[in-house]
Amino acid sequence: MSGFTIEVQHTPETISAMSHVQYSATHGLKKAVQVGTATVCLLLGTHLLGDIRAPFHYLFSAYGCFALLFLNLPARWRAEKIVRGIQASGRGFPCSVFHFEEAGFRVTAKGFDGPGDFHAYADCHRLLEHRSGLYYFISPEAAFLFPPQSLQEGRAAELKAFLETRTGLRFTRLQRGLTASLRSLLHTRRNTR
């Protein structure tokens, strides 16, 4: 399968998806603490846990609501800032071209004739699967996205198997708060460098 090429045309949707997945993948503990704190505050504020007197129970309830409402706000702000910057530049959304080789892949901007950036499979930090596509993390906070619309029919499974073989890692799914099991967390930990 080496020697094949994939083009990824970015859109506001792919940028938003990347921002949210990268934020969730790298700030999982922070989000879990925020959800836990918000839940306790809501329980205190609604008198289901303890007996907090007025007006303090309103403060606990308000904090709990706002903490849950703004859980993914940093990811949304980052995505909106990037999209506004691209739109303001007038150049359109970027199209990345990935050429997969035996030891790694090269990524260039479409229409660029240079060699591009080379990323060795041995340096892969993590492989992640999400409904928005396949993610190849080059560091704990930076990833490339291969959305389904960039892959031909059946090519996603082929790319997934190819990357798992070359990197020695397995694709994991993004675990969400209460749905994360100890087994899934250990699987994710084993498949992260």
Side-chain angles (χ1 to χ4, degrees), residues 36-46 57 59-65:
T37 305
T39 302
V40 169
C41 286
L42 283 171
L43 291 173
L44 286 169
T46 58
H57 73 280
L59 296 174
F60 279 98
S61 296
Y63 172 79
C65 290

Side-chain angles (χ1 to χ4, degrees), residues 79-102:
E80 289 172 355
K81 181 179 177 183
I82 292 169
V83 168
R84 279 194 311 269
I86 292 170
Q87 290 171 336
S89 74
R91 291 183 289 188
F93 287 88
C95 182
S96 301
V97 180
F98 297 87
H99 182 72
F100 293 87
E101 302 169 3
E102 285 299 319

Side-chain angles (χ1 to χ4, degrees), residues 6-118:
I6 294 175
E7 284 188 14
V8 176
Q9 175 61 57
H10 286 288
T11 64
E13 292 76 25
T14 61
I15 291 170
S16 178
M18 284 180 68
S19 182
H20 281 85
V21 167
Q22 288 173 340
Y23 182 75
S24 293
T26 58
H27 293 85
L29 181 59
K30 178 182 174 183
K31 288 176 69 173
V33 168
Q34 188 174 350
V35 168
T37 305
T39 302
V40 169
C41 286
L42 283 171
L43 291 173
L44 286 169
T46 58
H47 301 289
L48 294 174
L49 181 68
D51 186 25
I52 306 291
R53 301 232 183 258
F56 296 109
H57 73 280
Y58 295 120
L59 296 174
F60 279 98
S61 296
Y63 172 79
C65 290
F66 284 120
L68 291 176
L69 281 173
F70 298 125
L71 190 60
N72 291 312
L73 193 61
R76 191 173 72 208
W77 279 349
R78 182 174 59 182
E80 289 172 355
K81 181 179 177 183
I82 292 169
V83 168
R84 279 194 311 269
I86 292 170
Q87 290 171 336
S89 74
R91 291 183 289 188
F93 287 88
C95 182
S96 301
V97 180
F98 297 87
H99 182 72
F100 293 87
E101 302 169 3
E102 285 299 319
F105 62 89
R106 295 191 181 280
V107 60
T108 59
K110 187 173 183 176
F112 180 72
D113 292 333
D117 295 327
F118 182 78

